[in-house]
């Protein structure tokens, strides 16, 4: 029997003005930059120096002059920052903040899969452990996955891991038959399903649909568009950062959002005049929500939890992560 890890978040601290003042002062003292993913709690997003999607935050981490990065997100994101900046101190406010998608493939799984497809190019989503990245040719995020696969010569087999829904999106967009997809998923996005989306779209006929490609409903959305239930130009498959960019330019007055609900905060900030509604308002990632005001305060007061990546694994993973940040559009973050 495996021991169950206690995932009770650190609590007991109010995100009030004195908290905010102490966070800013401690960050300055530590020469730290605070990065927050779009799924973080609103108070964490608001105190951060930068918020954004996985790609934008990786790029910001790589370019930052700060000697310490405090990554308010999940563990693979902090590991990616450490791979890109091994000389930096990288802190995550709660090291238990994992990711069900990253857990769906191990380094050993990937090595075995590669052995079945000799010569294939391996593309791994950034939502993977450092060990998986070390076995990978090019990493990608939801924002540049299509561009990454397009950058590979058409006659070369591609192994795409670990998200099956993002993989299906990439296969549709590139029309590539020689793309093999690992059957992993994120429990939060897989739970946003097609029937739920169809019901919400029918009740909100004028709304745009912003859909993250990790969602179980992404295929259904395109099917609804294909059969004319939803106008095709209303269906947008977007990374979290691209949702913010799209919110600033859409003419729609109402938008249905299919992703983790932390996203609504950035969207409402970007376009307060639009009504944003979650397709599934229970789609909350418990790992992202472990970065509480108490956890962030502890992190900055005590220098916890420091993220280490084995230098040999980091060296093998660095090329794949660097290729990821070089390919494709900017990613959404500010
Ligand atoms: P992006 O921020 O790259 O869209 O990814 C979303 C995600 O699920 C991260 O866990
Ligand atoms: Fe991982 Fe899903 Fe949570 Fe993103 S939302 S961190 S993919 S478990």
């Amino acid at each position: 029997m495996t021991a169950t890890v206690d995932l009770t978040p650190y609590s007991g601290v109010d995100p009030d003005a004195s908290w905010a003042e102490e966070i800013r002062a401690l960050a300055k003292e530590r020469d730290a930059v605070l990065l927050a993913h779009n799924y973080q709690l609103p108070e964490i997003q608001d105190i951060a120096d930068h918020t954004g999607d996985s790609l934008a935050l990786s790029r910001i981490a790589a370019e930052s002059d700060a000697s310490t990065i405090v990554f308010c997100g999940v563990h693979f994101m902090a590991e990616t920052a450490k791979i890109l900046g091994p000389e930096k101190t990288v802190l995550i406010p709660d090291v238990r903040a994992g990711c069900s998608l990253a857990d769906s493939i191990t380094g050993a799984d990937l090595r075995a899969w590669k052995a079945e497809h000799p010569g294939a190019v391996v593309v791994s989503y950034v939502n993977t452990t450092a060990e998986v990245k070390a076995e990978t040719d090019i990493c990608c995020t939801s924002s540049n996955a299509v561009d990454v696969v397009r950058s590979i010569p058409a006659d070369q087999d591609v192994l795409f891991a670990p998200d099956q829904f993002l993989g299906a999106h990439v296969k549709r967009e590139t029309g590539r038959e020689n793309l093999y997809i690992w059957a992993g998923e994120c429990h939060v996005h897989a739970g946003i399903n097609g029937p739920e989306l169809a019901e919400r779209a029918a009740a909100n006929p004028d709304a745009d649909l912003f859909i993250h490609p990790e969602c179980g409903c992404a295929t259904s959305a395109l099917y609804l568009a294909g059969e004319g239930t939803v106008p095709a130009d209303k269906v947008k498959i977007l990374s979290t950062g691209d949702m913010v960019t799209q919110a600033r330019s859409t003419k729609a007055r109402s938008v249905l959002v299919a992703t983790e609900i932390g996203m609504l905060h950035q969207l409402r900030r970007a376009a307060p005049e639009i009504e944003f509604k979650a397709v599934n308002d229970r789609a909350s990632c418990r790992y992202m929500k472990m970065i509480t005001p108490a956890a962030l305060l502890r992190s900055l007061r005590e220098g916890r939890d420091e993220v280490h990546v084995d230098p040999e694994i980091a060296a093998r993973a660095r090329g794949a992560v660097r290729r990821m940040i070089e390919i494709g559009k900017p990613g959404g973050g500010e």
Side-chain angles (χ1 to χ4, degrees):
M1 223 173 72
T2 49
T4 38
V5 181
D6 178 10
L7 293 180
T8 313
Y10 295 104
S11 60
V13 171
D14 282 335
D16 56 14
S18 75
W19 169 82
E21 210 176 297
E22 186 170 357
I23 295 291
R24 294 309 331 161
L26 289 169
K28 195 164 177 208
E29 230 170 77
R30 282 190 183 276
D31 183 31
V33 62
L34 308 190
L35 309 183
H37 188 264
N38 288 322
Y39 297 161
Q40 289 288 292
L41 291 166
E43 52 272 29
I44 301 293
Q45 296 191 32
D46 290 347
I47 194 88
D49 295 297
H50 303 278
T51 52
D53 64 14
S54 314
L55 185 60
L57 294 179
S58 300
R59 285 181 173 149
I60 292 168
E63 283 162 15
S64 172
D65 293 332
S67 57
T68 296
I69 292 174
V70 180
F71 217 119
C72 300
V74 292
H75 193 255
F76 73 80
M77 297 180 174
E79 258 188 356
T80 306
K82 184 70 183 175
I83 290 167
L84 285 166
E87 71 296 347
K88 290 181 182 154
T89 301
V90 177
L91 304 178
I92 183 165
D94 190 331
V95 76
R96 299 168 301 167
C99 168
S100 62
L101 180 55
D103 288 344
S104 68
I105 189 165
T106 64
D109 291 335
L110 182 50
R111 281 189 289 277
W113 200 30
K114 282 164 68 170
E116 290 168 22
H117 296 268
V121 177
V122 178
V123 177
S124 294
Y125 198 28
V126 68
N127 299 40
T128 43
T129 60
E131 197 194 346
V132 166
K133 290 185 174 79
E135 296 289 338
T136 293
D137 296 302
I138 319 181
C139 289
C140 70
T141 73
S142 57
S143 164
N144 70 354
V146 172
D147 294 319
V148 165
V149 170
R150 282 205 178 114
S151 75
I152 300 164
D155 58 350
Q156 260 188 298
D157 285 355
V158 177
L159 301 184
F160 189 93
D163 189 70
Q164 57 181 301
F165 298 111
L166 179 65
H169 169 66
V170 170
K171 193 162 189 156
R172 248 183 336 253
E173 289 289 309
T174 59
R176 196 161 179 141
E177 286 305 320
N178 56 354
L179 180 89
Y180 300 90
I181 302 169
W182 189 258
E185 63 182 31
C186 150
H187 70 293
V188 179
H189 285 90
I192 307 176
N193 59 45
E196 205 160 23
L197 177 74
E199 196 184 298
R200 303 282 278 155
N204 299 271
D206 297 327
D208 268 2
L209 310 185
F210 286 9
I211 297 170
H212 195 277
E214 278 177 33
C215 285
C217 67
T219 305
S220 317
L222 296 169
Y223 175 76
L224 290 177
E227 63 164 15
T229 309
V230 174
D233 63 346
K234 291 204 162 290
V235 176
K236 325 232 182 231
I237 310 280
L238 301 165
S239 77
T240 63
D242 292 336
M243 287 184 187
V244 177
T245 311
Q246 188 71 38
R248 295 202 172 103
S249 63
T250 184
K251 300 268 180 298
R253 294 300 84 193
S254 159
V255 174
L256 291 174
V257 182
T259 194
E260 207 276 350
I261 51 173
M263 191 63 229
L264 296 168
H265 181 63
Q266 278 306 315
L267 290 171
R268 289 174 181 149
R269 238 167 60 158
E273 68 291 358
I274 297 177
E275 187 189 20
F276 293 99
K277 287 188 270 194
V279 169
N280 176 343
D281 54 18
R282 300 169 313 284
S284 175
C285 175
R286 69 182 301 187
Y287 302 114
M288 285 283 179
K289 296 332 186 225
M290 292 177 81
I291 311 304
T292 57
L296 180 56
L297 188 57
R298 165 187 169 274
S299 178
L300 283 163
R301 278 186 182 159
E302 301 174 22
R304 308 264 301 268
D305 291 322
E306 188 165 355
V307 175
H308 299 282
V309 179
D310 176 279
E312 190 263 332
I313 289 183
R316 287 202 289 129
R318 197 162 297 124
V321 176
R322 283 215 180 114
R323 268 167 234 129
M324 170 185 91
I325 62 174
E326 281 158 11
I327 296 177
K329 27 182 213 263
E334 49 207 29

